[in-house]
Amino acid sequence: MKSNGLSALGRRTATPPISWLMATALARPGLISLAAGFTDKESLPLKEARQALTEILNSPTEGRTALQYGTTAGEPALRRLTAERIRVLDGCADGAVYSADRLLLTSGSQQVLYMVTEALCDPGDFVLVEDPTYFVFLGILQSHGIHARGVRLETDGLDLAHLELVLEQLKQRGQLPRLKLLYLVSYHQNPTSTTTSFHKKQSVLSLLRYYERAAGHPIYLLEDAAYRELTFQGGDVQSALGTGKQADRVLYAGTYSKPFATGARVGYGILPEPVFPVVMGIKGNHDFGSSSLLQQLLAKVISSGAYERHLVKLRARYAHKAKIMLDVLQKEMPEGVRWVVPQGGLYYWVRVPEKATSGMKSRLFQTALRKQVLYVPGELCYVDDPARPKPNHEMRLSFGAESETLLMEGIKRLAAAIMLSLARRG
């Protein structure tokens, strides 16, 4: 018997690289992981969570509600608080765009990304992504049989000229009717820490709207704002929801995992018609509602002000750790290594000289493992795109999880591995 009985999706689905990276970090005692996008252990809000949960469980009414099933759309109070929070962040008065009726609570923002993809895309469709992009999303596309095309990044977001070129190529090849959305990690991007300007968001939406005419259907902008509230330098940037009439093409994904606690897996999507009811139906098929207890917890800490007070401390903590990593990068890295200094989020994007590759099969990656330090190879963040060879000279380094001491030691080990790799190739 040759068939294993799996569906086409099951046969396409590969083990995500993140699973291997996390398993490796856990299986090797003494290994310093600069790869994991985990948040800082020391700043996890134990006191705030304990107080909120105690208040909830000490109340018979709140406690029983929290321990019971909720609705598919999610806890009404948290939906209202979240919608209002995004409206205030954007500085907009248009309540319709930020209506709680358009907001769906989920099990982390990753579920939003998956469900939106499932709602809009068929096998053989196209999705545009930043080049590079969040590599876990690439796994979603791969498992669904979706073709991705990369659009180059500039310091303030997508290269608009390159985006127009890619759209025109799809049009000329007759592939534009299969283009369903553009995926954008718009704040302190994972992996490059780039933040997309509001002007770029407006321009992207205008270009997508223009090419809709040839596509024959809406082309949506999926804005992943997972790191928005982790800005520690500079001001906030309006989301694409703030573009007014163009907001009907915006799918906004956010999360409380990164700014509050990764163990409190609560995310959300703000979605327009006709996408919202379809995603709601998919959510019902997935789990008919995320954890009521976690939603009650988030509603309590937001309404009490504990969430905002925690954010202030968390931003200061990440600014401190980012500065420590920068100092040791400047001190230890050999000549020719370059990096992007983040203004928020959790990552440094580092480029090594051309004569040293950084992929999982490279001498550098294997040397780093022997020296007990782990990074995310940049090649994982690039889609397989026939328009260009996949870059293989970059890496993502996280300052989120490890302590200051381990961050410094990890960079020293990595610098030694890079120097050794460069010397052998010299």
Side-chain angles (χ1 to χ4, degrees):
M1 183 179 295
K2 295 182 179 180
S3 175
N4 56 16
L6 294 174
S7 68
L9 186 148
R11 293 193 299 272
R12 282 192 302 265
T13 300
T15 302
I18 188 66
S19 298
W20 184 90
L21 291 167
M22 292 173 70
T24 299
L26 292 172
R28 297 177 66 129
L31 182 138
I32 298 173
S33 179
L34 304 178
F38 288 11
T39 47
D40 180 66
K41 300 185 189 79
E42 297 303 315
S43 59
L44 287 171
L46 292 176
K47 179 181 177 182
E48 294 87 344
R50 184 186 303 113
Q51 181 174 338
L53 289 171
T54 299
E55 291 177 11
I56 291 167
L57 297 176
N58 278 344
S59 165
T61 301
E62 289 186 20
R64 290 190 177 105
T65 300
L67 296 176
Q68 182 58 275
Y69 283 130
T71 65
T72 300
E75 165 61 34
L78 183 57
R79 292 173 72 196
R80 289 192 299 270
L81 287 165
T82 303
E84 177 64 9
R85 185 170 187 84
I86 303 306
R87 188 192 69 78
V88 171
L89 283 173
D90 277 350
C92 291
D94 185 357
V97 172
Y98 303 90
S99 169
D101 293 335
R102 298 181 56 188
L103 191 143
L104 177 68
L105 295 171
T106 59
S107 299
S109 59
Q110 184 73 15
Q111 190 180 40
V112 179
L113 306 184
Y114 191 96
M115 293 191 300
V116 163
T117 303
E118 192 171 322
L120 292 175
C121 299
D122 294 307
D125 281 346
F126 285 82
V127 168
L128 303 183
V129 299
E130 296 157 302
D131 209 30
T133 190
Y134 173 45
F135 64 92
V136 180
F137 182 69
L138 295 179
I140 295 176
L141 299 181
Q142 184 270 330
S143 68
H144 282 79
I146 298 165
H147 307 295
R149 291 292 178 267
V151 180
R152 287 193 296 265
L153 275 176
E154 297 179 320
T155 56
D156 64 342
L158 290 175
D159 180 333
L160 295 175
H162 190 230
L163 171 59
E164 188 169 7
L165 174 64
V166 173
L167 287 167
E168 192 60 33
Q169 288 174 341
L170 291 173
K171 179 182 177 181
Q172 295 302 321
R173 295 167 185 165
Q175 296 169 329
L176 203 58
R178 302 301 301 269
L179 176 63
K180 298 301 179 64
L181 59 88
L182 185 154
Y183 173 66
L184 189 70
V185 187
S186 53
Y187 298 89
H188 316 299
Q189 192 235 26
N190 180 357
T192 68
S193 292
T194 299
T195 293
T196 301
S197 69
F198 185 63
H199 165 71
K200 284 281 179 83
K201 294 174 188 179
Q202 291 175 306
S203 300
V204 166
L205 282 166
S206 295
L207 273 171
L208 295 181
R209 181 81 71 170
Y210 175 81
Y211 279 91
E212 279 184 3
R213 302 168 194 171
H217 59 73
I219 303 173
Y220 291 96
L221 170 62
L222 174 53
E223 181 173 14
D224 184 347
Y227 300 90
R228 181 176 189 176
E229 295 193 280
L230 296 186
T231 301
F232 48 73
Q233 184 176 337
D236 188 49
V237 175
Q238 256 188 313
S239 77
L241 292 170
T243 56
K245 293 181 179 180
Q246 297 194 92
D248 64 346
R249 293 293 187 266
V250 178
L251 314 170
Y252 183 92
T255 184
Y256 289 112
S257 298
K258 291 294 192 293
F260 187 70
T262 44
R265 299 288 292 143
V266 178
Y268 50 90
I270 301 177
L271 310 171
E273 295 283 348
V275 180
F276 180 86
V278 175
V279 173
M280 177 95 101
I282 293 171
K283 172 71 172 170
N285 288 334
H286 276 207
D287 55 23
F288 51 89
S290 299
S291 165
S292 295
L293 180 61
L294 295 178
Q295 292 178 51
Q296 293 278 1
L297 166 63
L298 266 301
K300 180 72 73 173
V301 297
I302 292 170
S303 59
S304 70
Y307 177 81
E308 192 63 46
R309 291 191 294 273
H310 170 70
L311 268 181
V312 172
K313 293 185 290 185
L314 189 64
R315 289 167 182 149
R317 174 74 173 155
Y318 285 140
H320 171 66
K321 294 181 77 173
K323 179 62 165 57
I324 285 175
M325 184 172 275
L326 176 61
D327 289 345
V328 71
L329 283 169
Q330 292 173 332
K331 180 180 178 181
E332 300 291 340
M333 283 295 170
E335 186 177 353
V337 178
R338 299 288 182 264
W339 51 82
V340 177
V341 179
Q343 295 186 320
L346 300 174
Y347 310 112
Y348 275 84
W349 185 240
V350 176
R351 182 177 179 85
V352 298
E354 291 287 336
K355 62 180 180 179
T357 58
S358 61
M360 294 183 72
K361 295 181 180 180
S362 68
R363 177 180 289 130
L364 171 54
F365 188 76
Q366 298 304 318
T367 302
L369 277 181
R370 286 195 297 273
K371 290 185 174 295
Q372 289 285 73
V373 62
L374 185 65
Y375 63 84
V376 172
E379 65 174 2
L380 299 179
C381 305
Y382 287 96
V383 68
D384 291 322
D385 191 328
R388 54 106 183 96
K390 184 179 287 191
N392 190 20
H393 304 281
E394 294 153 320
M395 61 182 69
R396 191 196 77 181
L397 307 181
S398 173
F399 51 84
E402 300 287 14
S403 68
E404 292 93 327
T405 300
L406 291 180
L407 286 179
M408 290 187 286
E409 177 60 26
I411 294 298
K412 290 178 182 177
R413 294 179 187 182
L414 180 59
I418 292 173
M419 285 187 279
L420 187 59
S421 179
L422 290 172
R424 285 178 177 173
R425 288 182 174 271

